[in-house]
Amino acid sequence: MVGIAALYPGVRGADAYWRALTEPPPAPGDGPPPSLAAIEVDVARFGIPPAQAGALTRMQLLMLEAARECLEDAKAGERTLQAERTDVVAGVCSGLDRQYANALRVEGSRYARELERAVSAPEFGGSARAAAQAADELRTALVRRLGASPHDRVGEMASTIPARIAGAFKLRGRTLALESADATSFLAVAHALDSLRGGLSEAVLVVTGQREEGPYLRAALAAKGLLAPRTRPFAADGDGFALGEGVGALLLKRLSSAVRDGDRVYATVRGCAVHHQGRPGVFRYSTSVERHAEAARAALRECGAEPGTVGYVECGGSGVPRATEAELAALTSVFAGVDPGSIVVGSVRDRLGHTFANAGLAGVTKAALALYHQRLPAQLPLEPGAARDLDGTPLRTLTEPRKWAPAAGGAPRRAAVSGASLTGTLCHLVLEEHETAAVPAPVRPRPARAAAAPEPVAVVGFGGRFGDAPDADAFWAAMLAGRDRIGPLPESLFDRELYHRPGKLSLTHSYTDLGSPVEVPAAPPEGLRIPPHRYAAMDPAQRVALCVAGELLARRGQAAARPAGRGLVAVGTNLSLSRERRAAAGLALGEVEAAVGALAALGHLDATGVATLLDLVRERYAAEPAPAGPEDLDGSLAGGVAAVIAGEYGLDAVPLGIEAACASSLAALDLAVGRLRSGSVDYALAGGVELPCNARDMVLCSALGLLSHERITPFDTAADGFTPGDGCALFLLKRYADARRDGDAIHGLLCGIGASNDAKSLIAPDADGQVRAMRQAFGQAGFDPADVGYLEAHGTGTRVGDRVEIAAAARVYASPHRRRPLEIGSAKSFFGHTFAAAGGAGLLRALYALRTGVLPANAGLTAVNPELDLDRIPARVSTASAPWESAPGRPRRAGVSSFGTGGINYHVLIEEHLDGPR
């Protein structure tokens, strides 16, 4: 750890953070308690265009500032980072302010219609003119009150945060955002360690944050029975936690690189274990002492450290009684045999509260600073008799900070950090102090080079649901039929009276009503016992993904349905699900009603009349109900898509939600491959899901002119944008040797994954960035571009996007040694742009092409755009399926591209498996 940033209420910077943890807290004042709202950020210093400034989330600004302070703390400006090999990973949980505001603004049109209907009634004046005027005034007032920008759809996305950081500091490595409830920080650090240890990255900037964006998260946690007035981590009568705010950042490098570059090293990460307890039912903290102890022992084994060499443990200390008991009992078991009271335990939550997505980073930063300053931090005192009795155990708390004595025998000081998530994930890190005296003089740095993959990763299962295709086989049948599945959206998804206005850009309407929606399952997959009230609380994306996971596991056959060992479920998705946004809009109804009270068109009503009107409209509007039960939070967490799969199918697999804009599926796949190659997991279920065929996404995408006025036609002269489509694709992955050993059917081999950020523009594609991702993938694959016969393109159907993509492909794939033209196509021509699921759709299509030996057609293509200049590759885009010819014994090979807003680029190379069951 060579750089630290800490932004917490009343705290700014590593030094201030350490003081806040080791000095008595200030006495309560008369004013409101400090919050992140008090931290000012200079927007101008980050080069954000004025047109986009209004669309920024507050979290994006705070994370930009945290990134700046972290890089400054690391003095990265004095030793330039290797930009092309520096990743940015952001972690957030629950919706962001602009996401909530945009959802409320779009929902406000529905409220305005009910207002118009009510005002036109005789008891409220009966004037159709006054009623229409009131509705129009309200829509205008909401735009003014909540803010609105053509850039809202891009600005609100969680993945825009790491992309903006990459752009501001000209970093061109991997960029993604992730969420795993209150294990978010730990998963971000674990991914960073995989990238660094695997040689894919030279440095990783991890930024995580949580703030009160609105009342939703607090209400959902309260409904789950987890909230308390304050957090008392080691109280015998703990009753939950207080929700806190905070943004933190760490700059991580391999120790050898940090020593070479003369970096100040706060501490080193020696061991990392992230485990999961998959259980059906509502999400809850693990109370298994055995599982907690397993995670701690696994982290110690990874670094070869004996338990007795650890002097301090930073605990999760949730304050949830049974979870805290399990954590402390597990630590007592792990450290059994050491002298009583020799391990100091603490938890930063006594001062910060539970900062949720940021909680792990807050604890890791505290432990690292304790090692760096060689001081053991203290806990705030509890009421007399309230503390848990730790007498006779290896554990103790301190009432005052004290010097951390050197370890016996000259060994380095070590600290551990423990954490848990309400989804059942358990985390443990082992940190070690760094001997600064041993640092040699700095030397010049040597040039997401990446080490070649030791072996490919096998695809041993898959499933998919897109448009009217209920499974993967139907998806492929649609490709062979050659006809797109795009049409007018049903009224249940898109109310044309409210949201459709053809022919012009608007902040409140969409100029198209076309899409390719999926039918959301009304009941759980066969064999799963999910109570109706809990299933009803699930977000539609969770229901679809649960069904596709069932298809994937069923395809493997009964005997091999549930993979053995430790796993990962990584699902690319929007990190603020629709159900959460609707519920948040319902909780913010007072914001809309406040605007109604000020409408000039209602000036003829007295206060009693307005109140009566509001009651009537509220009843007719039927807002999404507020969280009322423990299952409501589960149905709104983006990482809950993966957690539902892990829990209901009983998988010992850590759940994780990932967003890299339209490249989210391949980002999830990339993270899964990293965990497999590091040996952290035995299998991974990865892919993506998103359902953008809804009024909110249609309106926001239309405002920026992203949608086609007709329908998506990639590579055509008439291409003018994309059409949204719903979809989900999931893949089960194992190391190739393990799949062979286990006798799995191998449907294809992942030979290389490349990723980059162009760090130039949030919305304009960049050929250089795409080329870097492609070349990085080939650096791992062991074969040349000329050996690839098919390219599944991103293919958004925009003239600029298509032209840039083909230009980038030409720089990599063009070769005089190519035996036949490269076939290029895009699944989007059939099912539209499925956003986070787009890369999954492309990979599924390419996988079927390999398995069946058929090159799929492209739908809707009338005339290939001559500006693409396909002959320089040479390449072609076909309108009919054809056999994929290959030499005997020579595997077919394909590339899959997925590019996202924010300059995020991913490229995957896959190969046909010729040996063994397929």
Side-chain angles (χ1 to χ4, degrees):
M1 301 181 198
V2 300
I4 288 176
L7 302 179
Y8 295 94
V11 172
R12 191 165 188 170
D15 291 341
Y17 185 58
W18 180 244
R19 287 195 299 272
L21 298 176
T22 54
E23 297 177 357
D30 296 330
S35 74
L36 290 182
I39 295 179
E40 296 183 2
V41 180
D42 182 2
V43 180
R45 78 190 319 161
F46 298 112
I48 298 170
Q52 297 177 13
L56 298 182
T57 64
R58 172 66 177 168
M59 183 61 77
Q60 185 176 146
L61 291 176
L62 290 170
M63 286 190 163
L64 275 164
E65 180 62 16
R68 184 193 68 79
E69 294 187 10
C70 184
L71 293 173
E72 186 175 275
D73 181 66
K75 298 181 172 55
E78 296 177 11
R79 291 176 302 280
T80 302
L81 291 171
Q82 295 182 30
E84 294 186 6
R85 304 195 62 219
T86 299
D87 300 349
V88 183
V89 180
V92 296
C93 185
S94 194
L96 304 175
D97 55 358
R98 287 307 311 161
Q99 293 171 334
Y100 288 158
N102 294 335
L104 182 59
R105 176 164 50 84
V106 174
E107 278 287 299
S109 289
R110 189 163 65 86
Y111 185 98
R113 178 171 61 187
E114 296 303 332
L115 177 69
E116 181 175 359
R117 290 171 176 172
V119 173
S120 64
E123 60 265 37
F124 297 111
S127 165
R129 180 177 179 181
Q133 182 182 346
D136 286 342
E137 275 189 47
L138 177 59
R139 292 187 183 96
T140 302
L142 289 178
V143 169
R144 183 175 61 251
R145 195 180 190 102
L146 300 171
S149 162
H151 294 272
D152 277 335
R153 183 60 178 87
V154 175
E156 71 166 23
M157 296 167 66
S159 60
T160 302
I161 296 172
R164 183 78 74 180
I165 292 170
F169 302 103
K170 297 179 172 54
L171 308 176
R172 299 187 176 89
R174 286 162 160 75
T175 51
L176 59 91
L178 51 80
E179 187 259 286
S180 189
D182 34 354
T184 295
S185 291
F186 289 102
L187 269 295
V189 171
H191 171 57
L193 295 177
D194 286 344
S195 295
L196 291 166
R197 291 170 174 171
L200 296 174
S201 311
E202 184 66 19
V204 182
L205 179 61
V206 177
V207 191
T208 64
Q210 192 76 50
R211 66 184 293 262
E212 293 245 23
E213 307 284 4
Y216 177 78
L217 181 59
R218 181 175 290 276
L221 287 168
K224 212 167 181 64
L226 296 175
L227 281 191
R230 63 191 181 101
T231 309
R232 298 153 70 233
F234 302 110
D237 59 344
D239 56 353
F241 53 76
L243 191 60
E245 293 189 326
V247 176
L250 293 176
L251 183 63
L252 305 174
K253 297 172 74 172
R254 282 185 300 278
L255 180 58
S256 58
S257 300
V259 170
R260 177 197 69 201
D261 296 341
D263 291 313
R264 171 189 53 196
V265 178
Y266 283 106
T268 61
V269 183
R270 306 300 296 183
C272 175
V274 185
H275 293 181
H276 186 72
Q277 186 176 4
R279 299 164 296 174
V282 295
F283 299 162
R284 55 204 184 277
Y285 290 101
S286 173
T287 57
S288 167
V289 175
E290 181 183 0
R291 291 300 186 103
H292 276 271
E294 275 180 12
R297 290 190 176 107
L300 288 166
R301 281 196 305 271
E302 184 176 287
C303 60
E306 291 296 324
T309 64
V310 174
Y312 175 74
V313 179
E314 173 67 18
C315 297
S318 65
V320 178
R322 292 187 62 197
T324 301
E325 290 170 11
E327 181 180 30
L328 293 175
L331 292 174
T332 299
S333 171
V334 170
F335 295 109
V338 305
D339 293 338
S342 58
I343 310 293
V344 175
V345 294
S347 174
V348 72
R349 295 184 192 180
D350 65 339
R351 296 170 189 261
L352 298 182
H354 188 6
T355 57
F356 225 69
N358 170 256
L361 206 67
V364 169
T365 303
K366 176 183 173 183
L369 289 171
L371 288 166
Y372 182 71
H373 292 285
Q374 300 179 358
R375 286 182 64 79
L376 291 164
Q379 288 296 109
L380 293 180
L382 292 169
E383 304 85 352
R388 289 181 182 273
D389 183 9
L390 299 177
D391 288 346
T393 75
L395 314 177
R396 63 171 171 152
T397 58
L398 294 179
T399 56
E400 292 185 356
R402 65 179 56 182
K403 181 175 175 57
W404 192 338
R413 296 174 179 84
R414 291 193 177 107
V417 184
S418 175
S421 162
L422 60 82
T423 59
T425 297
L426 299 166
C427 319
H428 205 83
L429 295 179
V430 177
L431 310 184
E432 186 175 284
E433 71 175 336
H434 178 62
E435 300 288 346
T436 56
V439 178
V443 296
R444 290 176 61 85
R446 296 189 299 272
R449 293 178 299 185
E455 64 174 351
V457 170
V459 180
V460 299
F462 60 88
R465 175 175 287 209
F466 293 86
D468 61 356
D471 56 32
D473 286 344
F475 168 87
W476 181 242
M479 300 293 159
L480 298 182
R483 180 179 58 83
D484 73 53
R485 305 306 176 96
I486 294 169
L489 292 175
E491 288 290 325
S492 59
L493 295 176
F494 186 74
D495 189 324
R496 286 167 179 76
E497 178 187 7
L498 283 181
Y499 300 115
H500 189 211
R501 184 176 294 167
K504 59 183 294 187
L505 297 182
S506 166
L507 293 174
T508 55
H509 293 76
S510 169
Y511 49 75
T512 181
D513 64 348
L514 299 181
S516 182
V518 301
E519 183 178 348
V520 177
E526 186 177 351
L528 296 185
R529 295 184 176 181
I530 303 177
H533 70 279
R534 180 165 177 262
Y535 192 73
M538 288 184 185
D539 187 87
Q542 293 178 327
R543 296 193 208 173
V544 170
L546 194 64
C547 229
V548 173
E551 176 200 346
L552 177 154
L553 295 173
R555 189 183 300 275
R556 287 168 49 80
Q558 191 65 33
R562 184 181 298 173
R566 297 198 183 281
L568 173 78
V569 182
V571 181
T573 186
N574 189 305
L575 292 194
S576 179
L577 300 181
S578 291
R579 189 175 184 279
E580 178 199 13
R581 297 196 200 197
R582 290 197 306 270
L587 287 171
L589 201 55
E591 187 88 2
V592 180
E593 293 177 336
V596 172
L599 299 180
L602 301 181
H604 62 285
L605 296 177
D606 59 16
T608 302
V610 171
T612 305
L613 175 67
L614 289 176
D615 287 342
L616 177 62
V617 176
R618 178 181 280 258
E619 180 180 344
R620 291 179 174 178
Y621 173 66
E624 187 83 9
E631 64 280 342
D632 285 316
L633 179 63
D634 303 1
S636 62
L637 288 174
V641 177
V644 162
I645 293 171
E648 295 307 320
Y649 289 108
L651 302 178
D652 187 1
V654 175
L656 180 63
I658 295 171
E659 189 193 306
C662 308
S664 296
S665 287
L666 297 193
L669 209 74
D670 182 42
L671 190 144
V673 169
R675 296 253 83 193
L676 283 165
R677 287 176 173 166
S678 72
S680 301
V681 298
D682 301 302
Y683 68 90
L685 196 157
V689 61
E690 192 161 356
L691 312 180
C693 290
N694 61 71
R696 183 192 68 249
D697 282 314
M698 296 285 285
V699 169
L700 296 181
C701 289
S702 182
L704 196 54
L706 300 175
L707 303 182
S708 170
H709 288 263
E710 296 296 330
R711 63 187 60 213
I712 184 171
T713 53
F715 313 118
D716 196 274
T717 54
D720 67 340
F722 62 78
T723 304
D726 296 341
C728 175
L730 298 173
F731 306 89
L732 185 61
L733 311 177
K734 295 174 76 172
R735 287 180 290 271
Y736 181 51
D738 293 350
R740 293 292 299 270
R741 177 200 64 202
D742 298 338
D744 290 306
I746 298 176
H747 306 293
L749 300 174
L750 300 180
C751 300
I753 300 185
S756 72
N757 188 285
D758 60 46
K760 292 181 181 177
S761 169
L762 287 185
I763 53 178
D766 177 74
D768 290 342
Q770 295 176 16
V771 166
R772 283 197 303 275
M774 294 178 194
R775 288 178 175 161
Q776 189 181 107
F778 277 107
Q780 304 170 17
F783 53 80
D784 296 327
D787 297 322
V788 174
Y790 176 67
L791 173 61
E792 172 67 25
H794 187 54
T796 56
T798 64
R799 292 181 69 87
V800 173
D802 288 352
R803 188 173 68 248
V804 170
E805 180 172 10
I806 296 303
R811 288 168 55 182
V812 176
Y813 282 96
S815 172
H817 305 296
R818 182 169 292 282
R819 292 182 297 278
R820 57 180 60 88
L822 176 69
E823 290 285 345
I824 297 179
S826 174
K828 293 182 182 65
S829 65
F830 287 86
F831 290 103
H833 191 349
T834 54
F835 291 43
L843 180 58
L844 188 61
R845 177 166 138 123
L847 197 65
Y848 266 102
L850 292 179
R851 295 177 69 242
T852 63
V854 175
L855 291 163
N858 291 279
L861 188 67
T862 302
V864 175
N865 186 348
E867 295 178 1
L868 302 180
D869 193 13
L870 296 175
D871 290 341
R872 59 185 154 163
I873 296 178
R876 63 187 173 208
V877 182
S878 299
T879 56
S881 299
W884 186 347
E885 299 175 3
S886 66
R890 188 181 185 90
R892 298 176 177 89
R893 295 178 173 119
V896 181
S897 287
S898 200
F899 309 131
T901 51
I904 300 173
N905 309 299
Y906 278 84
H907 193 71
V908 170
L909 295 170
I910 61 173
E911 180 178 278
E912 179 184 16
H913 183 242
L914 298 178
D915 185 17
R918 301 175 62 215

